[in-house]
Amino acid sequence: EAQVTQNPRYLITVTGKKLTVTCSQNMNHEYMSWYRQDPGLGLRQIYYSMNVEVTDKGDVPEGYKVSRKEKRNFPLILESPSPNQTSLYFCASSPGLRYEQYFGPGTRLTVT
Amino acid sequence: AQKVTQAQTEISVVEKEDVTLDCVYETRDTTYYLFWYKQPPSGELVFLIRRNSFDEQNEISGRYSWNFQKSTSSFNFTITASQVVDSAVYFCALSRELVQGAQKLVFGQGTRLTINP
């Protein structure tokens, strides 16, 4: 089954404790991206990657890091989480932005 | 700058009514792509439709229809004879390919649609 998986689905952590949210797709898509969803703001793009070792900032990259060492994986790293990063995070993949995005199930992160 | 505006934050209608969700976009590009996604209460994001900037034909899929008008920079979504299962948050999105292959995708704020029985 074609899918995008994210782990964990729910995470509660404390300020400053480094965390990684994993994202994996099995569709051989070149394009992957991370979004955060906040009430009243819709989805905002954090980072995206057009292929292995090619990443770029989206609209809200501050406080986040990503890497793309393999085509299927695109982890999101929060080196020092802060409460303003409490949000619902979605990973997505697609053959390119001309096409629809395939979204993961979402990760709800709470930073206290 | 690229922007998508969904001015309707929340809409509530009674089942079987028709409802239109508005989407207005801003871009200076001649080539771009427009999308609608649905987010039901379970939280996942479901793709509904894609349109490129050169295709202004309206689209109908069952009870769903989309009206793309470049002259007004709008890509509106209509649900005919709404059902309770249509209750969800709906997002309109705009993507573009920048120079050197970079790509950007921008979402609207979303419209929460509630269909009451």
Side-chain angles (χ1 to χ4, degrees):
Chain A
E1 178 190 357
Q3 61 181 350
V4 178
T5 57
Q6 291 179 232
N7 283 293
R9 295 288 312 279
Y10 303 91
L11 179 60
I12 300 175
T13 189
V14 297
T15 299
K17 185 176 181 182
K18 180 180 178 179
L19 66 91
T20 299
V21 183
T22 65
C23 173
S24 183
Q25 51 96 3
N26 62 1
M27 295 167 279
N28 202 37
H29 287 162
E30 292 186 345
Y31 186 91
M32 297 186 74
S33 59
W34 277 101
Y35 303 87
R36 59 178 289 173
Q37 182 179 1
D38 301 291
L41 297 176
L43 283 89
R44 293 178 293 168
Q45 193 173 41
I46 302 171
Y47 268 95
Y48 64 93
S49 168
M50 292 189 292
N51 215 324
V52 175
E53 303 292 2
V54 181
T55 64
D56 204 352
K57 297 177 181 178
D59 293 319
V60 288
E62 294 77 20
Y64 304 95
K65 286 176 57 176
V66 293
S67 67
R68 186 93 181 270
K69 293 185 171 58
E70 304 167 282
K71 197 171 188 178
R72 63 183 293 127
N73 296 324
F74 191 46
L76 179 69
I77 303 158
L78 285 72
E79 295 262 356
S80 183
S82 62
N84 64 13
Q85 292 178 298
T86 292
S87 187
L88 178 59
Y89 291 87
F90 286 98
C91 179
S93 74
S94 75
L97 273 186
R98 300 182 180 190
Y99 308 97
E100 65 269 26
Q101 303 282 297
Y102 291 76
F103 285 89
T107 295
R108 186 165 292 282
L109 172 66
T110 301
V111 183
T112 61
Chain B
Q2 189 171 239
K3 186 178 179 182
V4 175
T5 301
Q6 295 179 254
Q8 305 150 307
T9 305
E10 295 191 28
I11 300 175
S12 181
V13 300
V14 177
E15 199 171 20
K16 297 183 183 177
E17 286 186 13
D18 298 347
V19 58
T20 296
L21 282 60
D22 297 333
C23 172
V24 174
Y25 62 92
E26 295 176 27
T27 181
R28 294 181 181 177
D29 297 326
T30 55
T31 301
Y32 53 89
Y33 304 87
L34 295 163
F35 304 84
W36 276 94
Y37 289 89
K38 174 182 180 180
Q39 187 177 41
S42 50
E44 73 272 22
L45 285 154
V46 179
F47 165 75
L48 295 177
I49 191 171
R50 172 177 71 112
R51 262 288 175 270
N52 72 55
S53 53
F54 299 107
D55 183 2
E56 285 195 73
Q57 282 192 351
N58 291 331
E59 174 109 2
I60 298 175
S61 177
R63 297 182 296 105
Y64 295 174
S65 62
W66 291 268
N67 182 4
F68 176 30
Q69 291 196 340
K70 287 180 73 173
S71 60
T72 56
S73 297
S74 65
F75 186 41
N76 297 336
F77 172 33
T78 298
I79 301 175
T80 303
S82 61
Q83 300 177 2
V84 172
V85 292
D86 295 327
S87 296
V89 180
Y90 291 86
F91 291 99
C92 181
L94 168 67
S95 77
R96 58 194 285 244
E97 291 184 353
L98 306 176
V99 295
Q100 298 162 352
Q103 298 173 325
K104 285 283 202 179
L105 178 63
V106 175
F107 282 82
Q109 303 93 320
T111 297
R112 181 176 299 277
L113 176 64
T114 301
I115 310 297
N116 300 297

